[in-house]
Amino acid sequence: MSELDSLKIKRDLTALVEFSKIINSSLDLDFILNNILLTCLGKFLATRGIIALKEEERLIVKLSKGIPQNIISEFPKDKINENFFDEKLADFYSLAKIKVCERITSSSDTLGILCMGDKLNGSEYTEDDRDFLKTILNIAATAIQNSIIVKELKELNRVLDSKIQRLNSLFELSKEFALFSDTKRIQRLLILSLMGQFLVSKYAILSLNESDIQILDTKYNPEELLKKIRSIDYLKIDSTLKPETIQQKYPELDELGISIIVPMKIQNKLKGLILLGKRINNTDFSDSDIEFIYSVGSLAIISLENRRLLLEEIEKQKLEEEIELAKQIQQNLLPSEIPKSEVFEIAAINLPSKQVGGDYFDVIRTEKNKLITSIADVSGKGIPASLLMANLQAFIKLIIQQEFELDKATEIINDLLTQNTGDGRFITFFWGILDEKEKSYNYVNAGHNPPILLRNGEIVRLSEGGIILGVMKTIIPYNKKKIYLQSGDMLVLFTDGVSEAMNTNSEEFGEDRLEDLCKKISTLSSQSALEFIKKEVESFTLGAPQSDDLTIMVIKVS
Amino acid sequence: MSDFNCSIVEHNKIQIIKLKGYLDAHTAPMLEENFTELISKNKFNIVVNFKDLNYISSAGLGVFMAYIEKIRENKGDIKLTEMNEKVYNIFDLLGFPLLYEIFDKDEQAISKFLGNKSE
């Protein structure tokens, strides 16, 4: 070996050691590849070089120097097979003026290739050159492999980080939603989480109530969105719709820029939809993204549903409390004590049904020492009926101070009430003035069940009067009628809650039964007679719910 | 209960929001309030300092998405500063660095705002 040769070997060895040190000091693949290529270009005084690494069965150019980009883009993208290196690459080699090419191999596998172009001095690559190249690539292979493994680990870590981040978010939201936050807050957190997680700025959260769809919140134009959503068969959306499906099936939604639709379900029933626009970083929604949206959506919709049910329950309770209160107020409108009289012994009772009802009775002593008795039944039930009843009571109290004749007073009350009704409600009304001196009863019956007058076992019904109150202004004047009473006479005033009381066979108590009953109890005191009628009705309807208010007034003449 | 608070100081007409603690589903609405208030006062140049923020979740990140469009429409911006590695990692995982400028120090963000103005 000549001295020159040994010097050259020594220089090569030093270079190799230096090279090995440098590339093994880093795990950065780009740095390593750059170093390899530069070392080779320097060593062989070449101006072009290229490194391609194997990724998923294909060679991908990772670094090149001195070769124009348009030529690099011609690098074959086929899968590696038997003749890949010999045939497929040959064309590229001539195109890119590649002179030598060596594989980078680890102990088990091909990692990639390194190719070099012409030497600057025009000389050919010698056998020694090739050996040196192989040695360099042997050293490089370990460093490349290490850095690839590290890179893969980093990617894996990132995937794990991302999974952990999602789990954390889900966990945190489920905790927050479970706190019974208010509806707005749940919606907002759902939206914020989706915006933050996927970098979207356009969204819509829709909720389904039975078959109707509503917008809970959106960044789209609400009218336009609702119109478009209502034009499609949204009830059929039972799985996530990806951009391609939306483009095909619902182009009108695609036009709006909606790129994904995720259903929100409870027990497999569609309860809402999440619509998201494009992600700002232009990436697609992956399967795990969709899974996340679905999970967050499910959490939210369950909380929203729970919240809705809770509010409904509270609302129901509130309403029940209000009705209870209304019932109390209504009871307070009825006389708590019936005025005493030497001549007339009066007893009365009102049994309201479950709801607030529209029955009314009153016994008022006037300044002229007469007793005004009245009984009424407002059509329908509930708050409207009870309001009308309170209205009637106020009119009566007002009008008896004016000392109109009874027929004229009825007319005025009718005209006033007609202004206050309007939804087809009406009142059946009976009232009469008991005169203690004359022992007379002067009455008007405005469409009410005619009261029963029982005298010596005979029944007379008091039906003189006119039409029911509240339907139209008085055209035909009401008639009043005065009857003279005798000792032992019994008057029974009642509402249809008595005559129409139903038993479990849907049979009515009936007025005939009531008349027969009155005959049997004619000798009882008014209070006892009242109790008797009440008990009879109760035993008749035993087991059936009381569907209507029930009011009875009994007047005995002593 | 997670701990979170944020304070705002004004510097050269730039609002600096300092975050502290845990920005999650529970506390995100607090930060939202701050943003809506600033926007209602037409203050659109905002620096958010993350130095004392220990954790941020999707809902917390969502707050930044919810207001950025409105702010940029008004020629403003939200710039982020002094994130610790853990918090930056989450921002990075979800791709936020593409959309937001993130600086090491408030001063850098401030001078970016001031520089833009003098252009």
Side-chain angles (χ1 to χ4, degrees):
Chain A
M1 195 192 285
S2 73
E3 196 159 324
L4 202 69
D5 282 344
S6 78
L7 207 70
K8 184 173 174 289
I9 289 169
K10 204 171 158 190
R11 206 179 63 217
D12 283 351
L13 275 174
T14 318
L16 281 177
V17 171
E18 196 61 29
F19 170 71
S20 170
K21 259 193 207 161
I22 289 173
I23 64 165
N24 281 309
S25 70
S26 170
L27 287 170
D28 176 6
L29 187 62
D30 292 338
F31 173 83
I32 293 167
L33 295 182
N34 198 39
N35 227 292
I36 296 168
L37 197 56
L38 284 177
T39 303
C40 293
L41 292 173
K43 163 72 188 163
F44 302 117
L45 297 172
T47 55
R48 20 179 87 207
I50 185 167
I51 297 179
L53 294 181
K54 197 166 93 174
E55 268 175 21
E56 290 169 9
E57 299 305 306
R58 286 178 172 81
L59 280 182
I60 310 290
V61 176
K62 290 287 170 187
L63 182 66
S64 73
K65 289 187 194 290
I67 304 170
Q69 196 52 44
N70 60 333
I71 292 177
I72 292 293
S73 63
E74 296 292 313
F75 193 87
K77 291 163 185 76
D78 313 65
K79 275 195 173 178
I80 296 169
N81 54 24
E82 283 307 310
N83 56 17
F84 179 84
F85 292 98
D86 301 325
E87 292 174 16
K88 292 275 179 191
L89 280 175
D91 292 343
F92 176 77
Y93 290 162
S94 66
L95 190 69
K97 295 178 187 148
I98 297 296
K99 280 287 172 309
V100 290
C101 188
E102 286 296 336
R103 293 197 201 188
I104 308 166
T105 50
S106 72
S107 51
S108 57
D109 197 14
T110 302
L111 295 176
I113 55 169
L114 180 143
C115 311
M116 305 288 294
D118 282 321
K119 288 185 175 182
L120 201 58
N121 59 16
S123 64
E124 292 297 316
Y125 284 88
T126 63
E127 205 53 38
D128 277 357
D129 289 341
R130 285 173 182 274
D131 283 345
F132 185 77
L133 195 57
K134 278 179 189 161
T135 314
I136 282 185
L137 293 185
N138 274 337
I139 296 168
T142 324
I144 290 172
Q145 200 168 26
N146 285 344
S147 73
I148 289 173
I149 289 170
V150 167
K151 203 175 155 197
E152 280 172 2
L153 272 176
K154 273 188 184 159
E155 273 162 18
L156 205 66
N157 262 329
R158 224 174 136 79
V159 172
L160 271 176
D161 278 353
S162 158
K163 290 217 160 113
I164 289 170
Q165 188 269 337
R166 281 173 187 211
L167 277 176
N168 276 337
S169 290
L170 273 180
F171 176 64
E172 189 193 296
L173 282 173
S174 67
K175 231 172 35 181
E176 196 59 31
F177 288 165
L179 286 176
F180 268 124
S181 326
D182 65 51
T183 309
K184 284 265 166 258
R185 193 178 162 103
I186 294 172
Q187 285 171 28
R188 189 67 189 152
L189 286 178
L190 170 65
I191 287 158
L192 285 180
S193 300
L194 293 174
M195 286 177 112
Q197 191 71 35
F198 300 112
L199 294 174
V200 291
S201 61
K202 296 263 189 196
Y203 59 81
I205 310 289
L206 306 172
S207 88
L208 243 93
N209 201 346
E210 296 303 318
S211 66
D212 187 36
I213 197 150
Q214 284 178 331
I215 297 178
L216 294 182
D217 197 354
T218 186
K219 277 259 178 153
Y220 296 103
N221 177 324
E223 287 86 30
E224 196 185 354
L225 177 69
L226 212 53
K227 210 176 119 204
K228 290 192 169 177
I229 274 283
R230 287 202 164 125
S231 73
I232 66 166
D233 199 356
Y234 53 80
L235 287 173
K236 289 234 170 83
I237 300 175
D238 69 340
S239 62
T240 298
L241 302 182
K242 295 187 183 183
E244 312 84 64
T245 325
I246 296 173
Q247 278 159 27
Q248 277 170 21
K249 285 176 80 175
Y250 308 117
E252 57 270 61
L253 296 181
D254 181 56
E255 264 170 42
L256 277 181
I258 290 161
S259 81
I260 195 161
I261 300 177
V262 183
M264 291 190 281
K265 295 190 205 169
I266 296 176
Q267 287 171 347
N268 229 12
K269 218 178 145 209
L270 190 65
K271 289 281 180 184
L273 295 171
I274 297 174
L275 281 58
L276 297 179
K278 292 204 167 41
R279 297 171 76 167
I280 290 177
N281 56 2
N282 263 329
T283 51
D284 293 333
F285 289 96
S286 70
D287 286 348
S288 70
D289 292 341
I290 291 168
E291 213 170 285
F292 180 84
I293 300 169
Y294 187 81
S295 307
V296 178
S298 299
L299 281 177
I301 199 73
I302 289 169
S303 305
L304 288 173
E305 185 74 0
N306 282 341
R307 178 89 194 151
R308 194 180 65 77
L309 291 175
L310 181 76
L311 287 179
E312 237 179 52
E313 190 55 36
I314 291 173
E315 208 48 48
K316 220 172 103 190
Q317 274 181 25
K318 245 191 187 147
L319 200 68
E320 275 168 13
E321 277 166 24
E322 273 173 15
I323 288 173
E324 200 47 49
L325 205 65
K327 265 167 93 173
Q328 278 174 30
I329 292 171
Q330 201 176 22
Q331 283 294 312
N332 290 340
L333 291 179
L334 302 176
S336 55
E337 210 174 320
I338 290 169
K340 293 266 180 300
S341 159
E342 304 261 300
V343 184
F344 304 108
E345 186 201 328
I346 306 174
I349 192 173
N350 168 265
L351 298 172
S353 64
K354 269 196 171 171
Q355 288 180 288
V356 263
D359 270 14
Y360 167 68
F361 77 89
D362 215 344
V363 182
I364 305 162
R365 188 175 279 285
T366 68
E367 285 170 11
K368 294 209 162 160
N369 235 356
K370 291 176 182 174
L371 284 167
I372 296 186
T373 58
S374 49
I375 188 164
D377 184 359
V378 181
S379 71
K381 283 188 209 108
I383 307 283
S386 66
L387 281 175
L388 208 53
M389 177 206 135
N391 212 210
L392 171 68
Q393 192 219 24
F395 288 151
I396 292 173
K397 296 235 152 132
L398 205 78
I399 207 139
I400 55 177
Q401 288 170 12
Q402 315 299 318
E403 296 183 14
F404 288 107
E405 284 297 314
L406 207 55
D407 48 356
K408 182 69 189 160
T410 311
E411 186 179 324
I412 295 170
I413 292 176
N414 179 50
D415 290 349
L416 286 170
L417 280 171
T418 304
Q419 291 170 17
N420 289 3
T421 52
D423 57 346
R425 283 179 189 280
F426 59 87
I427 302 173
T428 68
F429 179 57
F430 174 95
W431 63 340
I433 302 173
L434 288 167
D435 187 321
E436 290 171 319
K437 265 190 230 156
E438 300 191 325
K439 274 201 183 172
S440 67
Y441 196 34
N442 193 5
Y443 75 87
V444 170
N445 187 340
H448 194 78
N449 305 56
I452 296 169
L453 167 62
L454 195 83
R455 179 179 295 166
N456 303 327
E458 294 298 318
I459 280 175
V460 180
R461 302 294 294 264
L462 311 182
S463 50
E464 195 63 32
I467 64 157
I468 47 178
L469 306 182
V471 176
M472 55 178 182
K473 287 214 156 201
T474 315
I475 302 168
I476 307 163
Y478 288 89
N479 293 327
K480 60 177 192 239
K481 184 171 181 181
K482 190 190 264 189
I483 50 171
Y484 290 93
L485 299 168
Q486 299 173 5
S487 199
D489 281 0
M490 185 169 83
L491 280 160
V492 178
L493 286 62
F494 60 93
T495 57
D496 61 8
V498 179
S499 53
E500 290 171 15
M502 259 189 229
N503 66 11
T504 46
N505 293 327
S506 296
E507 291 162 347
E508 284 186 359
F509 190 76
E511 299 208 0
D512 290 347
R513 201 186 302 261
L514 184 62
E515 285 186 4
D516 290 347
L517 186 61
C518 288
K519 286 178 189 164
K520 278 189 227 161
I521 57 174
S522 61
T523 55
L524 297 179
S525 72
S526 61
Q527 188 61 40
S528 307
L530 185 86
E531 293 291 336
F532 204 92
I533 298 171
K534 185 186 144 207
K535 274 203 187 108
E536 279 297 306
V537 173
E538 276 171 356
S539 68
F540 178 78
T541 60
L542 193 68
Q546 186 193 339
S547 60
D548 203 355
D549 288 10
L550 191 150
T551 306
I552 312 166
M553 189 189 296
V554 179
I555 304 167
K556 282 288 293 252
V557 185
S558 52
Chain B
M1 254 329 97
S2 36
D3 259 342
F4 175 78
N5 68 61
C6 53
S7 55
I8 305 181
V9 288
E10 196 177 278
H11 190 279
N12 273 334
K13 294 198 173 158
I14 293 159
Q15 313 303 313
I16 301 163
I17 306 182
K18 271 184 163 297
L19 308 182
K20 192 174 179 184
Y22 294 80
L23 182 54
D24 55 19
H26 191 70
T27 58
M30 286 170 69
L31 181 59
E32 274 207 281
E33 275 172 32
N34 281 289
F35 274 118
T36 43
E37 201 189 322
L38 288 180
I39 288 170
S40 74
K41 291 179 181 163
N42 288 330
K43 293 176 173 175
F44 300 114
N45 288 347
I46 300 166
V47 173
V48 183
N49 182 297
F50 285 77
K51 191 177 164 212
D52 296 319
L53 193 81
N54 297 318
Y55 173 77
I56 187 162
S57 77
S58 309
L61 292 161
V63 179
F64 292 93
M65 285 302 294
Y67 297 98
I68 190 69
E69 278 192 344
K70 176 101 186 159
I71 286 170
R72 289 193 179 151
E73 272 166 23
N74 286 285
K75 306 230 158 31
D77 198 13
I78 304 174
K79 298 189 194 297
L80 317 175
T81 67
E82 290 202 66
M83 277 182 201
N84 71 34
E85 204 187 321
K86 219 170 90 189
V87 170
Y88 177 81
N89 195 26
I90 295 171
F91 268 87
D92 188 39
L93 269 178
L94 301 184
F96 273 73
L98 255 177
L99 285 172
Y100 291 86
E101 285 188 292
I102 302 174
F103 297 95
D104 289 339
K105 293 282 166 210
D106 288 354
E107 293 71 41
Q108 293 167 303
I110 292 168
S111 64
K112 189 75 190 278
F113 271 124
L114 296 174
N116 282 349
K117 270 191 184 158
S118 64
E119 267 171 22

